[in-house]
C-alpha cells in the first residue's frame, strides 16, 4: 500500500492554499512549470506530489484549478461529511492568541475551505473557565473529556504549560476519539497512535536566520559553500 | 552563483537540531541512510542538501557529527562574531506567549546553539510599556526605531494586530538594518529586500488534518489515491 511521504503531506496544505488563490484571481488552468514559479517548489517535485493523489492533470496540458480543488475538498471530507471540530487546550496567553487567530477575519474568509472549525477552549484556571474569548466558550479543564465524547472532537491544539502536556495527552489516548494533535507546547509528547504535528517556533526562527544569511552572502556575490570553504 | 534552494534552507535548522541531538546521545559518526530514518527525509535528498554546504562527508563513510556541527556554527556566524539579537514587536497575548517560549527552560537549554537571542519587546499599549515579561523589557513602540539603531537588531518577530503590521514593516525598510522578519500576524506583508519567514498556523493545522486523514485511510487498508479514485 502506497503511503504519501511526509514531505508531500507537508506540501498539500500549501498546494490547496495556492489553488484557492488561483481560483480567486480567475485562473482556470495552470502548468506545473508556472505552479513551480509561484510556489518555489521544482516542477518534478510537484508532479511527483500530485501523482500520490491520482490523475489530477496530464503532462503538457496542466492542471484544471476547479478539478484540483474538488479533489482537495474530497480528501478533507474523507473522514466525515461534516467539518472536523477542533478544540484548544490551554487558554493562557498562547491559547488566547490562537483563539484570536482562528476567529480572525483572514482565517474566517477562508473558513468555508478550512478543514477544521474551532468550537471550544479549556483551561484549568477557574477565573478563565466560564468566560468566552471572541465568542469561543472557555470551559474548565475537568469538562474536557466529556466534551470530546459528546462532540466527537478529532483535533486538538495543545497550548498548555510543558509540565502538564503529557498528562493531557494521556487522557486523549485513553479516549480513542482524538486523531490529531497540533503541539505548540515547548515539550516532546508521546501520543501513541494519535498523529502529532509539532509547531516549533525555535526551528522557525532558525530557518529565518539561515534564509537571511543566504541573502547576506549573495549580496556579497558569494555562497554559503564558498564561505564555509569545505 | 549557486543559491541554496528554499526547500533545502527549510531543512537546515532541522539537520542542525538533529546533529545537536546526536552529539548529546554520544554519536560520533552517522550514515546518510541512518540519518534518513531518524529525520524522515530520503537519503538522496540529504546528500543533495548537504552538497550545498560543501564536503561535509564522503559517500559510504558517513558524516562526522562534530565536523557537521562546526560547519553549522560557522554558517550561523557568517554575519558577525556575536550572536544575532532579536526583538518581538507586539506584547499582547501572542507576543507574551512568544516571550514565554523564548525564555523557557527548553529553549534556554539549547540557547548556546540558538542563532538568535531575544533582547526586548515593544508595544503601543502604555500600560504594558515599561514592564518586564520573564526579565525581557517591554518598551513603548515609539522607542523601537532608536533601539534597533542602537543595538543593531537584525531579526524581528512580528506579533502585532494585522492592521498595523505594514506600517511597522515600512519603518524597518526605511532603517536598512533589519535583515529578517518572522511574521506571525495573520496578514501578508511587503518587506522589500528584508527576508520574511511566514509562520502560518492555519496551514499547520491543515497539514495536521492531511496527516491524520492518511492515518485514517491506512487503518482501513486503503490510500488517499484510492479513495479519490482519480
Amino acid at each position: 500500500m502506497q503511503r504519501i511521504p511526509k514531505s508531500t503531506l507537508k506540501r498539500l496544505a500549501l498546494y490547496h492554499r495556492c489553488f484557492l488563490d488561483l481560483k480567486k484571481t480567475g485562473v482556470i488552468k495552470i502548468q506545473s512549470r508556472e505552479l513551480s514559479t509561484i510556489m518555489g517548489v521544482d516542477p518534478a517535485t510537484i508532479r511527483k506530489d500530485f501523482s500520490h493523489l491520482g490523475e489530477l492533470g496530464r503532462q503538457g496540458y496542466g492542471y484544471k484549478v476547479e478539478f484540483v480543488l474538488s479533489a482537495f475538498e474530497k480528501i478533507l471530507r474523507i473522514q466525515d461529511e461534516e467539518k472536523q471540530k477542533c478544540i484548544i487546550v490551554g487558554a493562557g496567553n498562547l491559547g488566547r492568541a490562537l483563539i484570536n487567530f482562528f476567529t480572525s477575519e483572514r482565517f474566517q474568509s477562508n473558513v468555508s475551505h478550512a478543514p477544521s472549525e474551532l468550537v471550544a477552549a479549556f483551561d484549568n484556571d477557574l477565573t478563565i473557565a466560564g468566560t468566552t474569548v471572541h465568542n469561543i466558550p472557555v470551559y474548565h479543564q475537568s469538562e474536557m473529556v466529556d466534551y470530546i465524547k459528546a462532540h466527537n472532537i478529532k483535533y486538538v491544539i495543545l497550548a498548555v504549560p510543558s509540565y502538564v502536556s503529557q498528562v493531557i495527552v494521556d487522557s486523549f489516548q485513553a479516549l480513542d476519539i482524538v486523531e490529531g494533535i497540533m503541539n505548540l507546547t515547548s515539550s516532546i509528547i508521546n501520543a501513541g497512535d494519535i498523529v502529532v504535528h509539532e509547531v516549533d517556533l525555535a526551528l522557525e526562527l532558525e530557518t529565518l536566520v539561515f534564509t537571511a544569511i543566504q541573502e547576506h552572502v549573495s549580496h556579497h556575490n558569494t555562497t554559503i559553500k564558498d564561505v564555509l570553504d569545505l
Side-chain angles (χ1 to χ4, degrees), chain A:
Chain A
M1 197 179 58
Q2 195 205 26
R3 286 173 71 93
I4 300 179
K6 225 170 155 182
S7 50
T8 299
L9 281 172
K10 278 187 184 166
R11 281 187 292 268
L12 287 186
L14 218 56
Y15 290 128
H16 188 205
R17 173 79 54 91
C18 181
F19 275 88
L20 286 172
D21 287 345
L22 288 172
K23 190 187 169 184
K24 267 185 207 159
T25 50
V27 176
I28 308 286
K29 213 176 67 178
I30 190 160
Q31 303 285 339
S32 60
R33 214 176 321 113
E34 299 167 88
L35 198 59
S36 164
T37 313
I38 299 171
M39 293 196 44
V41 176
D42 71 278
T45 305
I46 292 178
R47 282 192 292 270
K48 212 171 142 193
D49 285 346
F50 276 29
S51 74
H52 290 287
L53 306 180
E55 285 290 329
L56 283 184
R58 236 180 282 167
Q59 185 89 38
Y61 180 80
Y63 302 104
K64 280 189 178 162
V65 174
E66 278 290 359
F67 186 67
V68 171
L69 281 176
S70 71
F72 276 107
E73 299 299 312
K74 261 194 203 167
I75 297 170
L76 295 172
R77 275 160 204 271
I78 285 175
Q79 286 177 303
D80 261 329
E81 278 309 299
E82 265 187 283
K83 186 163 291 204
Q84 300 305 318
K85 291 186 186 101
C86 155
I87 59 169
I88 291 178
V89 181
N93 284 319
L94 182 56
R96 298 170 93 82
L98 290 165
I99 295 174
N100 194 16
F101 174 78
F102 285 112
T103 55
S104 72
E105 215 176 290
R106 187 188 171 198
F107 186 74
Q108 287 296 324
S109 72
N110 274 320
V111 88
S112 60
H113 307 287
S116 196
E117 181 195 12
L118 178 64
V119 288
F122 295 86
D123 202 282
N124 220 2
D125 187 333
L126 287 166
T127 64
I128 297 175
T131 65
T132 62
V133 180
H134 294 285
N135 292 321
I136 299 296
V138 182
Y139 301 110
H140 190 256
Q141 190 61 44
S142 59
E143 301 174 72
M144 184 190 74
V145 166
D146 285 338
Y147 190 95
I148 290 175
K149 284 185 199 164
H151 296 85
N152 195 29
I153 301 295
K154 295 229 174 100
Y155 298 107
V156 176
I157 300 174
L158 202 60
V160 293
S162 326
Y163 61 92
V164 290
S165 54
Q166 189 59 48
V167 180
I168 293 170
V169 171
D170 290 346
S171 68
F172 299 149
Q173 286 186 262
L175 278 171
D176 200 22
I177 297 171
V178 172
E179 297 188 357
I181 300 170
M182 179 157 118
N183 182 22
L184 278 142
T185 72
S186 36
S187 55
I188 293 151
I189 54 172
N190 286 309
D193 283 342
I194 304 172
V195 174
V196 179
H197 183 63
E198 304 276 349
V199 178
D200 189 324
L201 295 171
L203 215 61
E204 301 291 348
L205 184 60
E206 190 164 330
T207 300
L208 167 68
V209 173
F210 280 125
T211 312
I213 286 172
Q214 156 132 311
E215 283 307 309
H216 182 86
V217 297
S218 59
H219 279 171
H220 294 81
N221 282 314
T222 180
T223 65
I224 288 182
K225 193 171 171 173
D226 289 336
V227 177
L228 274 178
D229 194 24
L230 290 175

